[in-house]
Structures are given as C-alpha cells and as structure tokens.
Amino acid sequence: MSKFPKDFLWGGATAANQCEGAYNEDGKGLTGQDLTRKGWREAPTAEPTEDNLKLVGIDFYHRYKEDIRLFAEMGFKVFRLSIAWARIFPNGDDQEPNEAGLAFYDEVFDECLKYGIEPLVTLSHYEMPLHLTRTYDGWRSRKVIDFFERYVQTVFKRYKGKVKYWLTFNEINSISHVPFLSGGINTPKEQLTKQDIYQAIHHELVASARAVNACHTIDPEAKIGCMILGVPVYPLTPEPKDVLKSLATERENFFFSDVQVRGYYPSYSKRLFKENNIELDITKQDLADLKHTVDFISFSYYMSVCESADPTKKAGKGNIIGGIPNPYLKASDWGWQIDPEGLRYYLNCLYDRYQKPVFIVENGLGAVDELITLPDGTRTVNDDYRINYMNDHLVQVEEALEDGVEIMGYTSWGCIDLISFTTAEIKKRYGMIYVDRNQDGSGSLERYKKKSFHWYKEVIESNGASLVR
C-alpha cells in the first residue's frame, strides 16, 4: 500500500542549457555554457566551438511538443525546466526583453498545461548572460542584482497563472566550487579569495530574496523555493575531530538555505567570516530584502560523502563538493556513491531544521546505456540498474514520509537524456527516454522509450504502490 499523498507531484527535471540547443536562435544571447565544451572543470573557450554538445543539446527547442507528450504518457504531474536568462535578456542588462524568447516559453508552458502537467521553473540554472560575466564579473557585482530583478519581474508578470512553482538558483551552494558557471564569475577560480566568493554569494542571496518578494507581490498564488545541492556529510570515524569536521562541511552547504529560509545570516557565520578575514558589504536594504523567505526548500540528491580531520584521507572522484568515499557504499561509473538511505536521512535533516515543505527536484543515475532492437523491431534500453536505483531511493522517500516529513514531490533528473553538466557528455545518460545522439555529435535525435519509462509510468499510476520494498 502506498504511503505517498494523493497530491504528490511526480515528474522529471531538465535544464535549458543541457537540453534546449538552439544556442543562437531567435535572439538568444551567449552564456558561459556555450563556452564550456568539456564540463565545469575545463577553462572556457573564447567563442562557441562545434565540439560543445550543448549547442544542439537534444534539440528540445524544436522538439518540445514530442517530449512533453512522452512525459504526459509517463503520467507526469510536474515538469521541472529552466528558463534561459539569455533568451529573455540576451545581454542581461538590456532595457527590454526579447519577445521571441518569452513566446517560446509561453508555448512550452501551454503544452505542459494541455496535459495537466504543472511547470516547475528554475529562474537561473547554471547560466547567466555572457555579457554580465565578462562586463560585470557576474555575481561579484552588486549591479547584477538589479538586472536579475528586472528579468524575474518580467517572467513573473508574463507567466502569471501558468507557472505555480518557481525556484530561484539551481544548487546555489555550488558557487565556491564552480564560480564560472554557478556564479557567472569571469575571474579564474584560483585568483578568487574567500572575501570575493562570499561577497558574490551575498549578492546572489539578496537577488534570490528579491525574486521571492517579486513573486509573492506579482502572483500571490504562486510558490517559490530555494534549491541546494543536497549532500549528507557523515564523519568517517567516531573520532570527535571527524565529527566536528563533518559539521563544518555540512554548515558550508546549509549556510545558503539557512539564509534563504530564515531570512538572516546564521550565528556560525560570524566565526567563519572572522577567521577568514571576510568583511561583507551589507546594506540596510540588503538586510530588509533577505527577510523575504522562500515557501519551500528543494534540492538535488545523488550521493553522500564522508569527512575526516585527517589530511591524508583523499576526496573521491566526480563529486562537485568533494568528500571522502564511504567504505560501506558502492559507486556509479562516474564515482558517485549510491546511498538511498542517505536521502531519507537528508529529508529528515532538512525538515527538522526548517519545518517547511521539501521537494526532491533532482535524483537519478548517470550510466552508459545500450540501445537494442527487440525481435518485434522496438528499440529500447534494458536499464534495470536505473530502475533499481530509483526504486530504492523512492522507497526511502516513502520512509521519510512515514517519519513525518512534508514532501511536495519528486522529479527524476534528466527524465530524457541530456548533456551532462559535470562532464558535458551525452554518454552519461540519466533519462527514461533515450535520445539518439552520440559523443561525436552524430545521431538522428530520435526518441526511444527505455524499460524504465514503463516502470516509472506504473509507479506514477499506482502513486508509488508498485515500488518493490
């Protein structure tokens, strides 16, 4: 018997820069994503290059009707997507929006609503107009707050009544790890001080709070949340120094949601700032703005990590946030440790900390899939490994519901194959829909239903009752 509430929002999640393509069509401006052909670790190129798979993505820009129809067939109640800021304001500091960009998302939202799918829209998902990056150094500049506010007010007014659920910044707590793509910061990471990073963080937090205020003012019926990279941090051993180290790392991540949910800087930040010689430029207006807090907390969940005070312990591969591998867990092909129980633990941590609804807006398994042809000519992928991964995590979501956690929904990451953020690969597939595109850019872009497509459809139809416990 299912423990999921009747109004649980089942669905899937994507990001504009990983699926849309059409990077230079209909007036869209460039973003940092158009220059990072190998993922977040590589320095950006000067101009877009043909080997950047994100320039075409999976061509969602031209194929969104087909894709949304497939999502509807799976039974989605919600579809998480992002608006490309540079489609609306190509340079970021433009006085007037680009109508072609606004019209595109009108059509996408209308297509979702046609099938009864609620759009869940991220305002900034790892991309900023490149002009703001190169001219203002992204979130290091206070001026960008005003540009962002103009952008969000524009879309809130345009899509009032169509979009009920909004998120401000995707994985906002990743900025110190990925300053170029997460913060639009042009200055190389190695040249940035903690003062630089935390001042940029402050500007972004103020911008997020202003977006919350604008949303509540323009469309009081809508709900707006924050979005963090969710990573439970376990001490590697019971050694008290390891426990304190894991607490410190955990706070580095919760710092962002603490401000966005509570409306002020946490007390532990005083010591952090003092010991790192950080003196933030904070105005009275900033403090007033921060009091506009989110309606819910959303997060991505892929893995947990361990921490140790022992400097000889090495961080694992693949993780954006680092961390030491847990000897009790297996890992994916990309070195991401698989920890379903960690999702239950993290859901409880968030709800205990904030007592606000939580929303799992990313979770999934990146893997190498093999497209096969069945005797009847159907092309598919037998991805039992993905089914097992999602099943085990969703069982833990159900456990968290039993624990008393108020959970709004679950959107599987990359519900349709897209270009990976971390490595900019297509071979790292998350979807329940296979897209015929290869690492060299070749392929028909045709869509094929994987085995997991039919499994997830049954999970949604049964409201979780079909899960194997």
Side-chain angles (χ1 to χ4, degrees):
M1 183 176 171
S2 173
K3 302 293 194 305
F4 289 89
K6 288 182 180 178
D7 60 353
F8 192 80
L9 292 169
W10 296 97
T14 61
N17 60 81
Q18 293 171 262
C19 70
E20 279 183 7
Y23 81 101
N24 60 353
E25 290 187 36
D26 295 330
K28 180 187 171 290
L30 294 178
T31 76
Q33 294 284 357
D34 300 321
L35 307 181
T36 47
R37 57 188 179 173
K38 301 297 182 187
W40 64 269
R41 284 190 173 89
E42 185 189 65
T45 55
E47 298 295 333
T49 56
E50 287 187 5
D51 57 349
N52 185 344
L53 296 180
K54 288 174 283 189
L55 302 186
V56 172
I58 60 166
D59 197 28
F60 177 82
Y61 192 80
H62 298 109
R63 295 168 181 255
Y64 66 89
K65 289 187 177 181
E66 175 188 359
D67 293 340
I68 293 169
R69 179 179 55 76
L70 287 166
F71 300 156
E73 188 180 334
M74 261 193 284
F76 281 16
K77 313 294 183 192
V78 64
F79 172 42
R80 182 188 173 211
L81 68 161
S82 69
I83 293 176
W85 183 356
R87 282 204 192 281
I88 312 304
F89 288 94
N91 296 303
D93 58 1
D94 317 76
Q95 289 297 315
E96 297 297 328
N98 172 34
E99 175 57 30
L102 288 167
F104 168 68
Y105 293 107
D106 260 324
E107 293 174 10
V108 171
F109 300 150
D110 287 344
E111 197 69 17
C112 289
L113 296 171
K114 183 174 90 175
Y115 294 104
I117 299 172
E118 294 286 356
L120 167 62
V121 181
T122 313
L123 290 161
S124 178
H125 193 127
Y126 283 145
E127 61 179 329
M128 171 186 284
L130 186 61
H131 175 73
L132 297 185
T133 295
R134 288 179 167 172
T135 306
Y136 301 93
D137 215 8
W139 287 111
R140 289 190 65 195
S141 171
R142 182 174 282 277
K143 291 178 180 177
V144 174
I145 299 173
D146 293 329
F147 302 142
F148 185 72
E149 187 172 22
R150 180 188 298 163
Y151 156 58
V152 301
Q153 286 189 358
T154 300
V155 297
F156 290 151
K157 290 172 184 173
R158 178 73 172 226
Y159 307 124
K160 180 179 179 178
K162 290 188 180 184
V163 179
K164 293 181 183 176
Y165 303 103
W166 296 92
L167 306 177
T168 56
F169 294 99
N170 180 72
E171 295 184 338
I172 190 171
N173 51 329
S174 64
I175 184 171
S176 59
H177 305 278
V178 198
F180 179 71
L181 290 176
S182 181
I185 298 172
N186 208 37
T187 301
K189 181 179 177 180
E190 60 274 11
Q191 295 176 25
L192 295 168
T193 64
K194 287 197 173 182
Q195 168 74 32
D196 296 332
I197 288 289
Y198 274 93
Q199 189 64 56
I201 288 168
H202 175 71
H203 294 153
E204 197 170 6
L205 289 169
V206 171
S208 176
R210 285 205 200 169
V212 170
N213 185 35
C215 182
H216 289 159
T217 302
I218 293 165
D219 190 357
E221 298 298 311
K223 300 291 184 187
I224 185 164
C226 58
M227 196 287 195
I228 57 174
L229 177 56
V231 182
V233 183
Y234 308 142
L236 187 63
T237 73
E239 162 69 43
K241 287 184 174 61
D242 282 3
V243 176
L244 285 169
K245 177 65 174 175
S246 66
L247 174 65
T249 301
E250 189 177 65
R251 281 175 164 176
E252 285 179 17
N253 295 324
F254 279 140
F255 170 86
F256 297 81
S257 47
D258 281 351
V259 177
Q260 291 177 295
V261 178
R262 294 171 176 164
Y264 53 86
Y265 278 96
S267 56
Y268 59 80
S269 65
K270 293 177 182 177
R271 181 170 185 174
L272 171 71
F273 293 162
K274 181 181 177 182
E275 293 185 350
N276 290 282
N277 298 313
I278 296 168
E279 292 186 20
L280 297 183
D281 170 28
I282 302 178
T283 68
K284 286 184 180 179
Q285 184 59 50
D286 292 346
L287 295 175
D289 286 335
L290 290 176
K291 292 187 182 345
H292 296 287
T293 55
V294 294
D295 301 310
F296 62 94
I297 303 106
S298 76
F299 66 98
S300 59
Y301 180 78
Y302 297 100
M303 73 204 89
S304 58
V305 297
C306 292
E307 271 289 10
S308 172
D310 182 350
T312 65
K313 303 296 183 185
K314 299 297 183 185
K317 299 185 301 177
N319 299 350
I320 291 175
I321 282 194
I324 299 163
N326 188 325
Y328 295 96
L329 298 176
K330 295 178 181 178
S332 74
D333 293 341
W334 274 265
W336 293 20
Q337 293 202 287
I338 299 170
D339 181 12
E341 287 86 355
L343 177 54
R344 175 186 177 185
Y345 170 75
Y346 195 72
L347 284 162
N348 276 276
C349 287
L350 283 175
Y351 199 63
D352 286 352
R353 194 176 187 100
Y354 301 123
Q355 291 84 51
K356 286 211 179 219
V358 292
F359 203 143
I360 308 146
V361 296
E362 285 188 33
N363 173 244
L365 178 68
V368 177
D369 288 342
E370 181 186 0
L371 185 66
I372 61 170
T373 304
L374 300 177
D376 66 359
T378 302
R379 305 196 75 187
T380 190
V381 174
N382 286 328
D383 56 343
D384 291 293
Y385 42 87
R386 181 168 293 108
I387 291 170
N388 294 335
Y389 177 99
M390 290 179 65
N391 182 92
D392 292 349
H393 282 77
L394 285 168
V395 166
Q396 295 302 318
V397 173
E398 190 172 53
E399 288 291 334
L401 285 163
E402 283 284 273
D403 293 335
V405 181
E406 185 181 354
I407 307 172
M408 295 171 65
Y410 172 92
T411 56
S412 170
W413 175 249
C415 46
I416 182 169
D417 289 346
L418 37 68
I419 313 303
S420 165
F421 167 71
T422 51
T423 59
E425 296 173 300
I426 185 72
K427 70 177 183 180
K428 184 183 183 184
R429 297 176 184 271
Y430 284 88
M432 292 164 283
I433 300 166
Y434 186 93
V435 177
D436 182 23
R437 191 166 190 221
N438 304 309
Q439 199 58 31
D440 62 2
S442 64
S444 67
L445 291 170
E446 287 298 303
R447 276 62 165 149
Y448 302 102
K449 301 170 192 175
K450 302 180 189 178
K451 186 176 180 180
S452 56
F453 179 103
H454 307 286
W455 171 84
Y456 196 44
K457 180 180 181 180
E458 187 179 358
V459 169
I460 297 173
E461 276 180 350
S462 69
N463 199 33
S466 65
L467 293 169
V468 178
R469 293 158 181 84

